């Protein structure tokens, strides 16, 4: 209690400690307890004492409260976040209870480094049905989110002679930096209204891999066209390049049925990555990786040396949610919610006549609002952030940023209630004026 008071600045440096007897009276404890506490705090350096001068609070220890204060409002509009309040707690609890009560004793061991077989089988069926993927459960890895899948793939590519990876430009800075920080040379390739410009990929024979977001290009939101899909597959087969498909939000499409994944067209050269971070919650750290045999052994090997195996309880709970249809039901409910939120945002932006252009398809959890050329992206971003909206700037996603390209805002709408959307658009209006 006294330690906490000192640490949090309740008793500033230099404060003379009251005599032990008065503290004992105030707290209703014996004097011996207080003397012991003072001795302890003296030994730990919180207090200093000098014969005849008393005991006082040492400097350098006050106000160093390591606990963050919950004063700032939680950031909103961050792209990529689902509506965390929509997490299906009751369904997950039931699935988790089922998993725990039906697990065999062996399931509590290290298990298969590829993930529990029951989940791999359920996931393979699910991805076949919903994403048109061609997945063999034997060639699948359950990973701790797309991030871990990317890290494993980066390590496998980095161990080859072709340590170069082409990425879309603009792209998710997180995914791109992860590749660079694992030793790969990152090469940017422009994106247009049909997705990555396949013809502009430099020196394909020198590449180890190409990182793509075909269903909903991050951050522009465009769908990779059929022509570009074919061109990329041909390039990959000709030059023996791995296509990494980050299918991060492919479950959400609002204007038509979801477009099948690239991996379903070319399972021989494509690795499919996905996770429940957009559909359930990032906190689960549950994702999947499905790739060709040629890469499989090396990926499993990386998995073993980074993290022996995954978390069987969560995996089995997720398998149960898939098997019982609870996952599909949840995704349907969230799709409906996000469709409404996206429409609301688009309508509010149009009604406010802000001269911003909404780019990309009606899918995913974010949209790109291109700013008028006269408007400075950084100024708008700081103004929005001051209003509590953690919107991402398009320039943060660019590798090479030609100055003549207009700025843009990547707005995550999935976690924004309609009133927050209205507030955001009004704050944007003021920032642009
Ligand atoms: C482009 C992209 N890929 C993948 C992810 C998800 O990563 P993870 O599955 O590791 O949570 C995100 C999250 O924001 C993302 O923006």
């Amino acid at each position: 209690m006294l330690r906490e008071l000192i640490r949090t600045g309740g008793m500033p440096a230099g404060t003379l400690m009251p005599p032990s007897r008065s503290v004992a009276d105030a707290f209703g404890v014996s004097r011996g307890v207080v003397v012991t506490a003072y001795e302890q705090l003296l030994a730990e350096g919180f207090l200093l004492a000098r014969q005849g001068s008393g005991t006082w609070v040492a400097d350098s220890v006050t106000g160093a409260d390591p606990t963050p204060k919950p004063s700032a409002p939680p950031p909103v509009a961050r792209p990529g976040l689902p509506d965390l309040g929509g997490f299906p707690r009751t369904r997950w609890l039931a699935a988790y209870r089922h998993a725990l009560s039906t697990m065999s004793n062996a399931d509590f061991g290290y298990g298969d480094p590829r993930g529990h077989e029951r989940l791999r089988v359920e996931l393979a069926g699910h991805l076949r049905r919903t994403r048109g993927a061609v997945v063999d459960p034997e060639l699948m890895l359950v990973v701790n989110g797309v991030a871990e899948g990317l890290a494993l793939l980066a390590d496998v590519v980095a161990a080859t002679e072709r340590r170069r990876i082409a990425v879309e430009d603009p792209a998710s800075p997180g995914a791109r930096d992860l590749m660079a920080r694992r030793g790969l040379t990152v090469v940017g390739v422009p994106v247009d209204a049909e997705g990555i410009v396949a013809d502009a990929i430099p020196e394909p024979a020198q590449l180890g891999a190409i990182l793509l977001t075909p269903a909903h290009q991050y951050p522009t939101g465009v769908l990779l066209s059929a022509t570009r899909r074919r061109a990329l597959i041909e390039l990959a087969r000709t030059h023996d390049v791995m296509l990494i498909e980050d299918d991060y939000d492919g479950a959400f499409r609002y204007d038509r049925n979801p477009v099948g994944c690239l991996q379903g067209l070319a399972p021989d050269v494509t690795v499919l990555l996905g996770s429940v971070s957009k559909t359930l919650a990032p906190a689960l750290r549950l994702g999947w990786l499905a790739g060709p045999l040629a890469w499989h052994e090396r990926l499993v090997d990386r998995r073993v040396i980074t993290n022996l195996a995954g978390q069987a309880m969560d995996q089995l709970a997720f398998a149960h949610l898939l098997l019982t249809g609870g996952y599909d039901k949840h995704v349907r409910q969230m799709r409906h919610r996000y469709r409404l939120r996206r429409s609301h945002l688009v309508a509010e932006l149009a009604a406010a006549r802000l001269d911003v252009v909404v780019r990309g398809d009606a899918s995913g959890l974010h949209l790109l609002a291109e700013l008028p050329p006269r408007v400075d992206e950084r100024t708008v971003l700081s103004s929005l952030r001051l209003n509590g909206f953690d919107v991402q700037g398009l320039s943060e996603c660019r590798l090479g940023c030609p100055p003549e390209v207009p700025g843009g805002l990547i707005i995550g709408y999935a976690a924004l209630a309609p009133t927050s959307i209205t507030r955001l658009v009004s704050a944007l209006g003021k920032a642009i004026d």
Side-chain angles (χ1 to χ4, degrees):
M1 169 114 180
L2 280 174
R3 189 191 287 110
E4 225 29 55
L5 263 176
I6 297 170
R7 213 200 312 263
T8 55
M11 298 178 91
T15 305
L16 197 62
M17 297 301 286
S20 52
R21 189 176 304 283
S22 37
V23 177
D25 288 348
F27 285 96
V29 295
S30 74
R31 186 169 165 253
V33 169
V34 181
V35 170
T36 310
Y38 276 22
E39 281 168 3
Q40 182 70 25
L41 291 172
L42 278 163
E44 291 174 7
F46 284 93
L47 297 180
L48 294 171
R50 198 178 306 129
Q51 199 73 44
S53 311
T55 305
W56 66 93
V57 176
D59 45 19
S60 80
V61 294
T62 56
D65 179 13
T67 328
K69 299 276 182 295
S71 52
V76 287
R78 179 177 293 173
L81 271 190
D83 185 350
L84 300 176
F87 184 80
R89 292 176 192 243
T90 312
R91 278 192 196 128
W92 184 260
L93 203 57
Y96 203 86
R97 183 172 288 127
H98 179 271
L100 259 189
S101 53
T102 56
M103 279 171 73
S104 69
N105 289 347
D107 285 333
F108 287 92
Y110 280 106
D112 192 319
R114 295 171 299 176
H116 202 287
E117 187 190 7
R118 223 175 299 158
L119 177 56
R120 285 184 284 114
V121 169
E122 284 306 324
L123 266 177
H126 174 78
L127 294 170
R128 221 173 287 139
R129 222 168 8 88
T130 61
R131 306 296 302 121
V134 180
V135 180
D136 177 353
E138 291 297 311
L139 297 182
M140 181 172 226
L141 256 78
V142 178
V143 287
N144 297 332
V146 168
E148 196 205 12
L150 286 175
L152 296 175
L153 286 160
D155 288 351
V156 166
V157 174
T160 68
E161 284 175 357
R162 297 203 212 162
R163 301 160 65 94
R164 282 162 75 86
I165 184 164
V167 300
E168 298 159 330
D169 187 8
S172 153
R176 193 182 61 213
D177 294 350
L178 186 148
M179 291 292 167
R181 293 181 70 174
R182 293 189 97 88
L184 299 184
T185 302
V186 174
V187 186
V189 182
V191 169
D192 66 14
E194 289 190 58
I196 191 169
V197 183
D199 287 348
I201 296 175
E203 302 179 289
Q206 309 292 316
L207 290 177
I210 306 173
L211 177 58
L212 303 159
T213 46
H216 190 225
Q217 203 277 325
Y218 194 91
T220 63
V222 299
L223 172 73
L224 185 64
S225 74
T227 316
R228 295 277 169 84
R229 286 175 190 235
R230 281 195 299 275
L232 285 164
I233 292 167
E234 196 184 321
L235 180 151
R237 287 184 178 146
T238 307
H239 299 288
D240 191 22
V241 179
M242 184 196 328
L243 303 178
I244 301 176
E245 176 170 26
D246 177 3
D247 194 36
Y248 64 106
D249 66 2
F252 297 115
R253 177 96 209 179
Y254 312 119
D255 54 347
R256 56 187 281 182
N257 285 333
V259 176
C261 64
L262 178 68
Q263 190 269 355
L265 271 183
D268 54 323
V269 285
T270 314
V271 177
L272 175 66
L273 281 174
S275 78
V276 301
S277 293
K278 313 295 176 201
T279 50
L280 289 170
L284 283 172
R285 307 313 300 141
L286 260 177
W288 49 88
L289 181 161
L293 180 62
W295 292 88
H296 184 68
E297 290 289 310
R298 280 175 275 176
L299 287 164
V300 176
D301 191 51
R302 283 308 304 171
R303 184 86 222 275
V304 171
I305 63 167
T306 49
N307 189 11
L308 299 181
Q311 298 165 18
M313 285 88 148
D314 283 349
Q315 293 186 10
L316 287 168
F318 183 34
H320 188 68
L321 210 57
L322 283 163
L323 176 72
T324 53
Y327 182 69
D328 281 343
K329 204 176 279 180
H330 173 71
V331 171
R332 268 200 308 278
Q333 285 168 351
M334 298 316 279
R335 194 181 290 136
H336 178 68
R337 182 177 300 181
Y338 299 157
R339 175 191 288 123
L340 294 180
R341 289 184 177 180
R342 186 180 190 280
S343 304
H344 187 58
L345 175 57
V346 172
E348 291 266 330
L349 285 171
R353 299 179 187 281
L354 296 182
D355 202 16
V356 300
V357 183
V358 173
R359 299 278 179 207
D361 292 350
S363 57
L365 309 185
H366 73 270
L367 60 72
L368 169 63
E370 202 172 275
L371 293 169
R374 67 182 162 84
V375 174
D376 178 52
E377 181 188 291
R378 270 173 314 174
T379 312
V380 175
L381 282 176
S382 12
S383 169
L384 287 178
R385 284 173 188 162
L386 277 177
N387 281 280
F389 294 107
D390 190 12
V391 167
Q392 190 178 39
L394 178 57
S395 57
E396 296 166 37
C397 300
R398 290 193 193 281
L399 252 183
C401 189
E404 72 276 12
V405 171
L409 306 175
I410 303 149
I411 306 175
Y413 48 77
L416 288 184
T419 47
S420 301
I421 290 177
T422 307
R423 268 200 314 116
L424 167 69
V425 174
S426 144
L428 180 56
K430 288 190 190 112
I432 286 182
D433 258 357

